[in-house]
Each structure stands twice: as C-alpha cells, then as structure tokens.
Amino acid sequence: MILDTHLVAPTDSPVNLEWIRRDFPILDQRVCGYPLVYLDNAATTQKPRAVLDAVRHYYEHDNSNVHRGIHELSNRATAGYEAARGRAAQFLNARGADEIVFTRGTTESINLVAQAWGTHFLRTGDQILLTEMEHHSNLVPWQLLAQRVGAQLLFLPVTGDEGLLDCTHLDRLLTPRVKLFAMTHISNTLGTVNPVAELCERARKLGVVTLVDAAQSAGHRPVDVQAIGCDFLAFSGHKIAGPTGIGVLYGRRERLAEMPPYQGGGEMILNVDFEQSIYKEPPHRFEAGTPNMAGAIGLHHAMDYLDALGRDAIFRHDQQLAAHAYRQLAGRPGVRLFGPPAGRAGVVSFLLDHIHAHDVVTFADHRGIALRGGHHCNQPLMKKLGVESTARASFFCYNTIAEVDRLVEVIIEIQKYFGYEH
Ligand SMILES: Cc1ncc(COP(=O)(O)O)c(C=O)c1O
C-alpha cells in the first residue's frame, strides 16, 4: 500500500482510513512516479471492492433480462433490480419503492421531470425559479422546457466569491407565478450547502413544485426526502461510489402519478394496440427499454457500503478535509478561494494569481494529484464571479489530511515554478 505512511485522518475523523483505503484498489498506484492523490471526487468517485465484486458476480451468475422472463436467471435479475429500488427508497427515506425511478444519472433524472412533468403542466407565462449556482444539468433542461412552452426562467442570486444564496431576494422571486423551483443541495464548484428544506417549505406554502439536485450530496451526507419535503430529487450512482450509467429520480408518489411517460418502448406498457397503448403505473411507466440491471445492483452495494461507514461520518470527514485545505490556502498570497469560509462540503475551488487553472491542474497531475480545472459545468456562475475557470479539489471518505497537505505543498511549488512565489 503506497500511501501507508500518509494515513493521517483529521484529528477526530469519524472514519477509519486504513480500512477504507484498502477497499478501493484503484487508489494504490503511482501516477508520474508519485503516489496517486485522487481529489476529483465531485466529478466521479472511486468504487469499493464490494461494488466491483457485486457487478462481476451479477454477470458471472445471474445476468438475464428483467421482468419479462419466466426462468430462474431472469427471476434472479428481476429480484436484484427491484431490491436495489427498495434500497434506494430506504437510502433517501422515501415512502416506498414506487417513488424511485432508475435513470442513467442526475442529468437524465432532471430531463425526465422537465419533459414529462414540465411539458404537461407548464404554460406560456409560467415561471421556473433556479439559482445562479446550478450545474448545466439543472439549467439546460429548464431552458429547453421554457423555450418549448414559453415559460420564463428566474434566478436566485449568489452573493459573490463566498458563494451563498442571497435569500433576501426570495420574496420578490418566489411568487405563485412560479410553477417549479429547482435547486442544488451542494454546489459542485463552491461547496456551499444550501438550506433545501427551508427553500422547499417556502415553495410548498405557495403550491410551487420543487426539485433538488442531490448529485453532490447523496453520497456525502444523509439525504431524507421527507425531511427536505421536495417533490423530486436526483442523484447519480457514479458519484456515490457506485457504477456509471445508473442514477435515481425520487418523485413524490402523487407527482409521478400525474405524469405522462418520458420515453416509450418495452417494459413501460401494460397493453399495446396498433393505435395506442396503456401504460404501467409509476415507477415502471418511466423506465422504457432494458434497464441497467448490473448498475442497479452495483448501486445497491454502494449504498450499503456508504451507510455502513455512516453518511454523517463521511460528511464530517469531508468537511474537516475541506476546512483544513481552506485554512492552509486562505492565508497564502496569490490564492483566491471560492465558496463559504465555514460550513462547506468537501469541495474547494481556487485560482492562483496569473496562473491558468489548466496549468495548475496539469502541473498537479505531474505530481500524481488528480484535480479538475475548468468551468465545472457552471458557466453562468463563472461569468457572475468574473472568471473563466477554477481549479477544484474535492474530497471523499478515503482522502487524508496528508493528501491535503501534499496538495498545498504542490500549490506552493506551482507558484514558485511560474515565478509568482510570495
Ligand atoms: C451538482 C451537479 N448536478 C448534476 C451533475 C450531473 O451529473 P451526471 O453527469 O452524473 O448526470 C453534476 C455532475 O458533476 C453535479 O455536480
């Protein structure tokens, strides 16, 4: 294990890093001759052995198509797929498995709502409220919907570099003309944790339907859809230690029941005639075609894995790493930090004076550190902040304080290399 000597948890970290790191085989390697330091978890997380083994086991023993088979393998595949649905309901504290739709990920979940719910219920002149910190996945589908039906988009402002929602504008923006309020739980650029339960409550009082983008929260902290009180919530398997190509849309039972299908095809119908069809009840109505069975089964194991660690513990660990990174960098000349100084999730975006974010990320890669540089699918937010891009470090349960310290060392090296040593 390459990083044995670096296994330093935050002083009172609630997770056992030595054990956790052994569960993620990909972490045990060198990149450019240095131990890999993987800090690109907001883009995608690594997968524990339990998930890799479950997917392999499925293909080696149980693989078959679901729902329509009358043989043993098909029954096993169906049972595994539906058990994953039940597990996802429990993971989000939904009222039942019928409130869980499997999709390809957060992006498809949001497009499903925009297409199926939005097209059916929105009319010319209606308003859709978003925030200025939305990922393109929670912006472009609403732009398409607004163009289709003649609706108007409104944006709750972000305060500036400290990246909080300016809720003083809520009274002005959140009115009965708004039909849908869609907001991110945790910003993938700023690390801001938004008060989604309060925002949903304000919306509910006016009869406004709500959607929470939980792409950055579902694997990092407890997410309880009943406590949040949202109508829809979306997340991706690959960002919560699960496989790619599988995601979840939670939809409140009453909302899903009033929605027409999203796509047509096999699996979503009860009866088909040449001219018309009768559709299944939700959630199957929204899952046309052969689903990603292996993905759902892998996701089931990812949810088990994270809950065995405890998502409360993961969140505290992420926050400690982010606070440590913030403290180390905040005092340094030539470093501009984005996002709230306190209470942030495990995401730290920064810029170094006179050095392009892509140069920072390329240099870091040559030291074995995986960061991300660019607009992070937050182009409107970047414009608001007056920048084109940032460099971003994002943490997960297997990252260590020593890795954060190594990042800070390399940032200092970068400043020296480019001649902006302070
Ligand atoms: C906040 C947020 N929303 C949505 C997405 C889109 O997720 P996916 O590409 O898995 O659909 C991301 C991905 O980075 C994200 O960070």
Side-chain angles (χ1 to χ4, degrees):
M1 172 113 201
I2 293 168
L3 271 172
D4 260 354
T5 52
H6 295 267
L7 285 178
V8 184
T11 19
D12 55 346
S13 171
V15 301
N16 183 334
L17 280 167
E18 197 159 343
W19 284 104
I20 292 174
R21 289 191 72 93
R22 284 193 195 134
D23 289 338
F24 291 82
I26 199 170
L27 298 177
D28 190 11
Q29 62 173 294
R30 288 181 177 268
V31 168
C32 298
Y34 293 88
L36 168 66
V37 174
Y38 186 79
L39 302 180
D40 195 16
N41 295 287
T44 200
T45 60
Q46 302 304 346
K47 325 300 174 200
R49 241 179 256 282
V51 170
L52 305 177
D53 290 348
V55 172
R56 185 178 185 91
H57 184 278
Y58 169 76
Y59 279 123
E60 283 185 349
H61 298 276
D62 303 329
N63 180 47
S64 182
N65 212 326
V66 286
H67 296 141
R68 24 187 179 188
I70 314 178
H71 57 79
E72 170 65 17
L73 292 194
S74 178
N75 289 340
R76 276 193 232 151
T78 305
Y81 183 67
E82 291 304 327
R85 194 191 303 281
R87 183 66 182 86
Q90 190 196 2
F91 192 70
L92 297 176
N93 193 31
R95 284 174 297 171
D98 59 321
E99 297 189 313
I100 301 297
V101 180
F102 281 124
T103 63
R104 283 190 297 129
T106 310
T107 303
E108 192 180 44
S109 297
I110 296 172
N111 274 280
L112 193 164
V113 177
Q115 281 276 351
W117 184 86
T119 312
H120 196 67
F121 286 104
L122 262 69
R123 296 287 167 267
T124 309
D126 286 343
Q127 294 177 331
I128 299 166
L129 179 58
L130 307 173
T131 82
E132 284 182 343
M133 65 170 79
E134 296 313 315
H135 188 279
H136 297 166
S137 297
N138 199 23
L139 169 58
V140 182
W142 306 117
Q143 292 175 345
L144 292 170
L145 171 64
Q147 285 155 16
R148 242 183 353 259
V149 303
Q152 184 193 6
L153 298 178
L154 305 175
F155 297 90
L156 188 58
V158 168
T159 48
D161 282 11
E162 78 278 19
L164 297 169
L165 287 179
D166 187 348
C167 291
T168 58
H169 292 269
L170 258 187
D171 282 340
R172 174 175 63 81
L173 293 168
L174 187 58
T175 69
R177 270 189 75 191
V178 173
K179 292 292 170 291
L180 179 114
F181 184 8
M183 69 207 83
T184 192
H185 195 177
I186 292 180
S187 160
N188 60 305
T189 291
L190 303 163
T192 315
V193 184
N194 287 325
V196 287
E198 280 104 291
L199 296 175
C200 288
E201 191 184 354
R202 294 273 297 257
R204 205 166 46 247
K205 283 188 180 146
L206 296 174
V208 176
V209 168
T210 49
L211 179 142
V212 173
D213 174 349
Q216 296 297 339
S217 59
H220 294 263
R221 54 170 290 153
V223 170
D224 179 332
V225 289
Q226 295 191 61
I228 293 172
C230 53
D231 290 285
F232 298 104
L233 181 138
F235 74 87
S236 304
H238 72 97
K239 290 187 197 286
I240 75 151
T244 43
I246 186 79
V248 165
L249 171 67
Y250 157 81
R252 189 192 289 273
R253 194 172 286 150
E254 298 76 4
R255 290 278 98 78
L256 292 180
E258 65 193 14
M259 284 159 58
Y262 166 54
Q263 294 177 330
E267 302 275 355
M268 48 78 74
I269 44 78
L270 274 180
N271 188 49
V272 179
D273 277 321
F274 282 116
E275 304 300 335
Q276 59 189 13
S277 304
I278 301 172
Y279 313 121
K280 282 186 181 161
E281 291 297 311
H284 301 285
R285 181 190 300 173
F286 303 106
E287 294 179 7
T290 300
N292 182 354
M293 295 85 77
I297 287 162
L299 178 62
H300 188 156
H301 283 79
M303 294 185 283
D304 283 351
Y305 184 87
L306 296 183
D307 278 345
L309 293 183
R311 276 181 288 161
D312 268 324
I314 294 173
F315 193 54
R316 270 182 283 137
H317 175 79
D318 285 357
Q319 283 195 305
Q320 286 170 359
L321 293 176
H324 186 69
Y326 191 90
R327 267 196 308 275
Q328 305 277 311
L329 293 174
R332 276 204 69 71
V335 180
R336 178 174 170 191
L337 283 159
F338 300 89
R344 71 166 64 216
V347 176
V348 177
S349 273
F350 60 95
L351 275 179
L352 303 183
D353 285 355
H354 315 294
I355 308 172
H356 197 282
H358 285 166
D359 291 330
V360 173
V361 174
T362 306
F363 194 107
D365 181 47
H366 290 148
R367 295 292 179 270
I369 302 179
L371 299 176
R372 186 149 290 245
H375 54 62
H376 315 298
C377 293
N378 272 143
Q379 271 185 323
L381 175 66
M382 295 287 143
K383 285 175 193 154
K384 160 102 188 199
L385 298 174
V387 299
E388 276 179 8
S389 55
T390 70
R392 179 185 74 188
S394 51
F395 310 112
F396 199 28
C397 52
Y398 38 67
N399 290 123
T400 67
I401 280 284
E403 289 181 319
V404 176
D405 289 341
R406 177 74 186 128
L407 169 68
V408 174
E409 254 171 50
V410 169
I411 287 173
I412 295 168
E413 195 188 344
I414 293 170
Q415 287 183 309
K416 285 186 183 151
Y417 178 85
F418 283 94
Y420 295 104
E421 176 179 3
H422 294 274

